[in-house]
Amino acid sequence: MQTVQLFVTCLVDSLFPEVGQATVDVLRRAGARLAFPQAQTCCGQPAYNAGFRDQATSMARTTIEVLESAPGDVVIPSGSCAEMVRHGYLELFAEDPIWLPRARTVAERTFELSEYLVDRLGVVDLGARFGGRLAYHPSCHLLRGLGVDRQPLALLQAIGGAEVERLEAECCGFGGVFSVLHPEISGEMLQRKLEAIRRREADAVVGCDVSCLMQIEAGLRRSGSTVRSAHLAQVLAGRGTGLR
């Protein structure tokens, strides 16, 4: 099997390293060999979403150069970052005859974690166990940008002892800079998500993007809930639930 390049994302690297460690565990358990390009940095999505195209383009070029330096599939434990590489880069370089082919080549070998496990490796059951009810949050970029929905559900449903409930496909209200620029709207959206979690009587909320999980976890803690959130990789690796 060819070596997989892990693009760990800046949020995981800076705030949630336990998710990165769980991702490594899961990929190795699935039989993948891993490489971690040391020069990787932000994919540029926050700048792109905020309208700072020059800065986003600069970060995209750096990411392309880093990922071009070695062969093999690129795996990202984030739907939003994977969507940026797969689609955002093609939009950024749409009028650039030099960088567009390079962006397309990297995009074609880039996969979100659950997508890679299920569609590329054909792995569903990783031997994980969880005694309780898991509420799955389908994040916006993962679901609408990449069309990934059945893959994380298949992985969760293969977990021994777990009862899996899929939450409604509604935004949690984070949206990167959206939550900063529109805090009142963001807060109302979060309350709707928290109410959906309460209705499911979930023991934990699972998602594929730590950005969404960070928003949900904060809301759960402020409300005094004992429900915790966890990245899919944490549950599959048997590392428990709860972001730091």
Side-chain angles (χ1 to χ4, degrees), residues 9-19 210 214 243-244:
T9 81
C10 48
L11 277 181
V12 169
D13 182 52
S14 301
L15 300 177
F16 306 108
E18 66 274 17
V19 173
V210 294
M214 180 170 59
L243 299 177
R244 292 190 306 174

PDB file of all heavy atoms in Angstrom, residues 9-19 210 214 243-244:
ATOM      1  N   THR A   9      -4.661  19.578   9.622  1.00  0.00           N
ATOM      2  CA  THR A   9      -5.411  20.831   9.777  1.00  0.00           C
ATOM      3  C   THR A   9      -4.869  21.657  10.946  1.00  0.00           C
ATOM      4  O   THR A   9      -4.367  21.120  11.933  1.00  0.00           O
ATOM      5  CB  THR A   9      -6.938  20.658   9.968  1.00  0.00           C
ATOM      6  OG1 THR A   9      -7.243  20.333  11.319  1.00  0.00           O
ATOM      7  CG2 THR A   9      -7.495  19.594   9.022  1.00  0.00           C
ATOM      8  N   CYS A  10      -5.015  22.972  10.843  1.00  0.00           N
ATOM      9  CA  CYS A  10      -4.446  23.858  11.856  1.00  0.00           C
ATOM     10  C   CYS A  10      -5.206  23.785  13.174  1.00  0.00           C
ATOM     11  O   CYS A  10      -4.597  23.902  14.243  1.00  0.00           O
ATOM     12  CB  CYS A  10      -4.369  25.295  11.347  1.00  0.00           C
ATOM     13  SG  CYS A  10      -5.868  25.924  10.592  1.00  0.00           S
ATOM     14  N   LEU A  11      -6.538  23.595  13.150  1.00  0.00           N
ATOM     15  CA  LEU A  11      -7.284  23.485  14.399  1.00  0.00           C
ATOM     16  C   LEU A  11      -6.888  22.248  15.188  1.00  0.00           C
ATOM     17  O   LEU A  11      -6.732  22.301  16.412  1.00  0.00           O
ATOM     18  CB  LEU A  11      -8.797  23.465  14.123  1.00  0.00           C
ATOM     19  CG  LEU A  11      -9.498  24.801  13.930  1.00  0.00           C
ATOM     20  CD1 LEU A  11     -10.984  24.584  13.688  1.00  0.00           C
ATOM     21  CD2 LEU A  11      -9.288  25.725  15.122  1.00  0.00           C
ATOM     22  N   VAL A  12      -6.737  21.125  14.500  1.00  0.00           N
ATOM     23  CA  VAL A  12      -6.319  19.904  15.185  1.00  0.00           C
ATOM     24  C   VAL A  12      -4.908  20.070  15.740  1.00  0.00           C
ATOM     25  O   VAL A  12      -4.624  19.739  16.897  1.00  0.00           O
ATOM     26  CB  VAL A  12      -6.396  18.692  14.237  1.00  0.00           C
ATOM     27  CG1 VAL A  12      -5.716  17.471  14.852  1.00  0.00           C
ATOM     28  CG2 VAL A  12      -7.855  18.361  13.914  1.00  0.00           C
ATOM     29  N   ASP A  13      -4.017  20.601  14.908  1.00  0.00           N
ATOM     30  CA  ASP A  13      -2.628  20.760  15.319  1.00  0.00           C
ATOM     31  C   ASP A  13      -2.497  21.701  16.514  1.00  0.00           C
ATOM     32  O   ASP A  13      -1.748  21.428  17.460  1.00  0.00           O
ATOM     33  CB  ASP A  13      -1.816  21.299  14.140  1.00  0.00           C
ATOM     34  CG  ASP A  13      -0.346  21.444  14.463  1.00  0.00           C
ATOM     35  OD1 ASP A  13       0.249  20.471  14.942  1.00  0.00           O
ATOM     36  OD2 ASP A  13       0.203  22.539  14.247  1.00  0.00           O
ATOM     37  N   SER A  14      -3.253  22.797  16.507  1.00  0.00           N
ATOM     38  CA  SER A  14      -3.094  23.826  17.534  1.00  0.00           C
ATOM     39  C   SER A  14      -3.946  23.591  18.778  1.00  0.00           C
ATOM     40  O   SER A  14      -3.520  23.912  19.888  1.00  0.00           O
ATOM     41  CB  SER A  14      -3.443  25.199  16.952  1.00  0.00           C
ATOM     42  OG  SER A  14      -2.627  25.513  15.851  1.00  0.00           O
ATOM     43  N   LEU A  15      -5.154  23.066  18.605  1.00  0.00           N
ATOM     44  CA  LEU A  15      -6.097  23.005  19.720  1.00  0.00           C
ATOM     45  C   LEU A  15      -6.491  21.590  20.144  1.00  0.00           C
ATOM     46  O   LEU A  15      -6.777  21.365  21.317  1.00  0.00           O
ATOM     47  CB  LEU A  15      -7.375  23.784  19.361  1.00  0.00           C
ATOM     48  CG  LEU A  15      -7.197  25.262  19.048  1.00  0.00           C
ATOM     49  CD1 LEU A  15      -8.524  25.878  18.630  1.00  0.00           C
ATOM     50  CD2 LEU A  15      -6.618  26.008  20.252  1.00  0.00           C
ATOM     51  N   PHE A  16      -6.524  20.654  19.204  1.00  0.00           N
ATOM     52  CA  PHE A  16      -7.031  19.318  19.520  1.00  0.00           C
ATOM     53  C   PHE A  16      -6.072  18.228  19.034  1.00  0.00           C
ATOM     54  O   PHE A  16      -6.428  17.406  18.188  1.00  0.00           O
ATOM     55  CB  PHE A  16      -8.420  19.117  18.905  1.00  0.00           C
ATOM     56  CG  PHE A  16      -9.402  20.183  19.281  1.00  0.00           C
ATOM     57  CD1 PHE A  16      -9.814  21.132  18.352  1.00  0.00           C
ATOM     58  CD2 PHE A  16      -9.909  20.253  20.569  1.00  0.00           C
ATOM     59  CE1 PHE A  16     -10.710  22.130  18.695  1.00  0.00           C
ATOM     60  CE2 PHE A  16     -10.812  21.250  20.930  1.00  0.00           C
ATOM     61  CZ  PHE A  16     -11.214  22.191  19.993  1.00  0.00           C
ATOM     62  N   PRO A  17      -4.850  18.206  19.556  1.00  0.00           N
ATOM     63  CA  PRO A  17      -3.883  17.199  19.092  1.00  0.00           C
ATOM     64  C   PRO A  17      -4.340  15.764  19.332  1.00  0.00           C
ATOM     65  O   PRO A  17      -3.912  14.850  18.625  1.00  0.00           O
ATOM     66  CB  PRO A  17      -2.624  17.523  19.898  1.00  0.00           C
ATOM     67  CG  PRO A  17      -3.104  18.279  21.097  1.00  0.00           C
ATOM     68  CD  PRO A  17      -4.280  19.082  20.612  1.00  0.00           C
ATOM     69  N   GLU A  18      -5.239  15.575  20.327  1.00  0.00           N
ATOM     70  CA  GLU A  18      -5.739  14.227  20.583  1.00  0.00           C
ATOM     71  C   GLU A  18      -6.516  13.681  19.386  1.00  0.00           C
ATOM     72  O   GLU A  18      -6.548  12.461  19.155  1.00  0.00           O
ATOM     73  CB  GLU A  18      -6.618  14.215  21.840  1.00  0.00           C
ATOM     74  CG  GLU A  18      -7.923  14.991  21.756  1.00  0.00           C
ATOM     75  CD  GLU A  18      -7.794  16.462  22.087  1.00  0.00           C
ATOM     76  OE1 GLU A  18      -6.669  16.981  22.080  1.00  0.00           O
ATOM     77  OE2 GLU A  18      -8.842  17.087  22.358  1.00  0.00           O
ATOM     78  N   VAL A  19      -7.120  14.569  18.609  1.00  0.00           N
ATOM     79  CA  VAL A  19      -7.825  14.136  17.400  1.00  0.00           C
ATOM     80  C   VAL A  19      -6.821  13.683  16.342  1.00  0.00           C
ATOM     81  O   VAL A  19      -7.040  12.698  15.637  1.00  0.00           O
ATOM     82  CB  VAL A  19      -8.726  15.261  16.858  1.00  0.00           C
ATOM     83  CG1 VAL A  19      -9.338  14.881  15.511  1.00  0.00           C
ATOM     84  CG2 VAL A  19      -9.828  15.582  17.869  1.00  0.00           C
ATOM     85  N   VAL A 210     -13.695  19.336  13.744  1.00  0.00           N
ATOM     86  CA  VAL A 210     -13.531  19.852  15.098  1.00  0.00           C
ATOM     87  C   VAL A 210     -14.056  21.276  15.237  1.00  0.00           C
ATOM     88  O   VAL A 210     -14.374  21.719  16.348  1.00  0.00           O
ATOM     89  CB  VAL A 210     -12.053  19.792  15.572  1.00  0.00           C
ATOM     90  CG1 VAL A 210     -11.590  18.355  15.697  1.00  0.00           C
ATOM     91  CG2 VAL A 210     -11.135  20.593  14.661  1.00  0.00           C
ATOM     92  N   MET A 214     -16.273  22.001  18.352  1.00  0.00           N
ATOM     93  CA  MET A 214     -15.864  23.028  19.307  1.00  0.00           C
ATOM     94  C   MET A 214     -17.051  23.927  19.658  1.00  0.00           C
ATOM     95  O   MET A 214     -17.273  24.257  20.832  1.00  0.00           O
ATOM     96  CB  MET A 214     -14.725  23.850  18.696  1.00  0.00           C
ATOM     97  CG  MET A 214     -14.189  24.958  19.566  1.00  0.00           C
ATOM     98  SD  MET A 214     -12.662  25.681  18.861  1.00  0.00           S
ATOM     99  CE  MET A 214     -13.254  26.247  17.255  1.00  0.00           C
ATOM    100  N   LEU A 243     -13.769  16.784  23.847  1.00  0.00           N
ATOM    101  CA  LEU A 243     -12.649  17.608  23.418  1.00  0.00           C
ATOM    102  C   LEU A 243     -12.083  18.314  24.642  1.00  0.00           C
ATOM    103  O   LEU A 243     -12.796  18.550  25.620  1.00  0.00           O
ATOM    104  CB  LEU A 243     -13.115  18.629  22.392  1.00  0.00           C
ATOM    105  CG  LEU A 243     -13.717  18.045  21.091  1.00  0.00           C
ATOM    106  CD1 LEU A 243     -14.194  19.188  20.210  1.00  0.00           C
ATOM    107  CD2 LEU A 243     -12.709  17.187  20.363  1.00  0.00           C
ATOM    108  N   ARG A 244     -10.836  18.680  24.595  1.00  0.00           N
ATOM    109  CA  ARG A 244     -10.198  19.338  25.747  1.00  0.00           C
ATOM    110  C   ARG A 244     -10.854  20.682  26.043  1.00  0.00           C
ATOM    111  O   ARG A 244     -11.299  21.364  25.111  1.00  0.00           O
ATOM    112  CB  ARG A 244      -8.707  19.543  25.484  1.00  0.00           C
ATOM    113  CG  ARG A 244      -7.917  18.257  25.438  1.00  0.00           C
ATOM    114  CD  ARG A 244      -6.439  18.542  25.421  1.00  0.00           C
ATOM    115  NE  ARG A 244      -6.070  19.469  24.335  1.00  0.00           N
ATOM    116  CZ  ARG A 244      -4.867  19.961  24.173  1.00  0.00           C
ATOM    117  NH1 ARG A 244      -3.908  19.668  25.010  1.00  0.00           N
ATOM    118  NH2 ARG A 244      -4.592  20.779  23.159  1.00  0.00           N
TER     119      ARG A 244
END
